């Protein structure tokens, strides 16, 4: 199964409409792949908090429309990264969209761990509550997570328990924490014996230089491909049997000890 990660640049001198058109044409160029992935909040920029409200859309809004057309033109499964979703009750969510090769919305995932501590996304957006996996026919079951989620191993273990074999992580990760990004991507792959496909953005928006360095890690923890800091498309071949083989020859997941008593805080 061939996958392409589109590490698109998000810069303030490009309009959201222009970036949508450019992303659509980059998706169409990946017709040789079965799965195409875009990063977190690429239409507006993951750190462009002041524009979240104005650029918010519904899951069937302009980003979905443009990406559904591009996915069906290219005949690919498209993880269209995430958008600022405005729900019916007015709550904003950081919502990832997965689109089938016929242009249908196959799944959506609201980011569970919001970044920013006491500001930004953490206070402006609602938190997702549901783990989401997506079986891609003839290929791999995808487990969905977004950016800051990468720091929470229990989410990834939950996705693995739910059958995920490829953990897809769109992100808008800053350059100053680039080492955390690559380290955590490899850790999530090794501990879950799964592919990790982590797609970041390039460029600088809202004063935050983006790391780029999208990375694909195999179930043994080997880096299959890693991008540089600039806009780039990373293409890799994934083998679903590699996940099964890794879990058979080194069955560490079976050695988990669940339900151990917690220490008594009084002793
Ligand atoms: N958009 C994000 O979730 C940023 C996460 C981040 O910068 C970090 O975890 O570090």
């Amino acid at each position: 199964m061939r996958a392409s990660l589109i590490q698109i640049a998000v810069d303030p001198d490009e309009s959201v409409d222009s970036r949508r058109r450019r992303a659509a044409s980059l998706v169409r160029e990946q017709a040789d792949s079965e799965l195409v992935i875009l990063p977190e909040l690429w239409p507006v920029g993951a750190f462009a908090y002041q524009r979240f409200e104005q650029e918010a859309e519904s899951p069937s809004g302009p980003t979905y429309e443009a990406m559904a057309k591009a996915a069906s033109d290219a005949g690919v499964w498209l993880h269209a990264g995430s958008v600022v979703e405005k729900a019916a009750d007015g709550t904003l969510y950081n919502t990832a969209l997965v689109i089938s090769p016929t242009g249908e919305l196959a799944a959506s995932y609201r980011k569970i761990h919001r970044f920013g501590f006491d500001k930004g996304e953490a206070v402006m957006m609602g938190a997702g509550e549901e783990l989401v996996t997506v079986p891609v026919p003839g290929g791999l079951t995808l487990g969905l997570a977004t950016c800051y989620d990468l720091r929470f191993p229990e989410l990834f273990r939950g996705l693995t328990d739910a059958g995920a074999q490829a953990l897809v992580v769109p992100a808008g990760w800053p350059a100053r924490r680039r080492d955390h990004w690559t380290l955590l991507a490899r850790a999530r792959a090794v501990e879950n014996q799964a592919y990790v496909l982590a797609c970041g953005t390039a460029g600088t928006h809202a004063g935050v230089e983006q790391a780029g360095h999208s990375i694909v890690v195999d179930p043994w923890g080997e880096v299959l491909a890693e991008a540089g800091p600039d806009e780039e498309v990373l293409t890799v071949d994934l083998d679903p049997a590699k996940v099964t083989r890794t879990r058979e020859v080194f069955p560490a997941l079976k050695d988990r000890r669940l339900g151990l008593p917690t220490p008594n805080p009084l002793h």
Side-chain angles (χ1 to χ4, degrees):
M1 178 187 205
R2 182 160 291 184
S4 289
L5 284 64
I6 301 177
Q7 178 174 289
I8 197 165
V10 180
D11 287 303
D13 53 2
E14 182 178 35
S15 71
V16 170
D17 276 350
S18 155
R19 194 155 43 251
R20 271 197 203 106
R21 281 194 297 277
R22 223 158 49 72
S25 94
L26 285 164
V27 170
R28 285 191 181 90
E29 285 170 19
Q30 313 312 318
D32 285 346
S33 290
E34 274 104 35
L35 173 66
V36 179
I37 301 167
L38 280 159
E40 178 189 34
L41 296 180
W42 58 268
V44 59
F47 286 87
Y49 303 135
Q50 73 289 356
R51 300 183 61 204
F52 279 5
E53 187 68 46
Q54 137 202 4
E55 298 295 346
E57 49 186 302
S58 90
S60 57
T63 300
Y64 166 73
E65 273 183 26
M67 294 303 111
K69 179 90 175 52
S72 61
D73 288 347
V76 297
W77 280 88
L78 176 61
H79 184 312
S82 67
V83 299
V84 180
E85 175 198 353
K86 188 168 207 161
D89 66 359
T91 308
L92 303 183
Y93 293 95
N94 185 338
T95 302
L97 308 173
V98 179
I99 299 170
S100 78
T102 50
E104 265 105 57
L105 184 63
S108 63
Y109 164 70
R110 287 174 171 167
K111 184 178 182 180
I112 290 177
H113 303 95
R114 297 158 298 169
F115 183 68
F117 309 113
D118 56 357
K119 55 182 188 322
E121 180 186 45
V123 293
M124 295 178 71
M125 288 181 150
E129 303 285 342
E130 272 176 51
L131 273 62
V132 179
T133 58
V134 191
V136 176
L140 294 154
T141 294
L142 311 181
L144 308 189
T146 301
C147 202
Y148 186 51
D149 280 338
L150 191 58
R151 294 185 182 273
F152 299 86
E154 62 277 14
L155 167 61
F156 289 79
R157 185 50 57 87
L159 291 167
T160 302
D161 285 344
Q165 299 150 315
L167 303 160
V168 182
V169 191
W173 200 278
R176 63 192 301 253
R177 291 186 291 279
R178 192 187 106 194
D179 286 351
H180 293 193
W181 164 249
T182 43
L183 178 69
L184 291 168
R186 288 192 71 198
R188 299 294 88 87
V190 172
E191 72 199 0
N192 294 295
Q193 304 186 304
Y195 283 105
V196 168
L197 298 106
C199 179
T201 47
T204 297
H205 68 271
V208 182
E209 185 192 350
Q210 295 292 289
H213 282 266
S214 296
I215 186 167
V216 180
V217 189
D218 81 1
W220 191 248
E222 278 177 22
V223 176
L224 298 183
E226 183 173 341
D230 301 324
E231 183 161 301
E232 182 176 340
V233 177
L234 211 57
T235 297
V236 287
D237 286 315
L238 311 175
D239 176 7
K242 204 167 181 181
V243 178
T244 318
R245 266 201 315 275
T246 305
R247 291 176 181 178
E248 276 169 7
V249 299
F250 198 86
L253 286 170
K254 291 194 183 138
D255 279 340
R256 290 159 70 194
R257 303 280 311 282
L258 301 173
L260 294 177
T262 49
N264 183 336
L266 295 177
H267 292 87

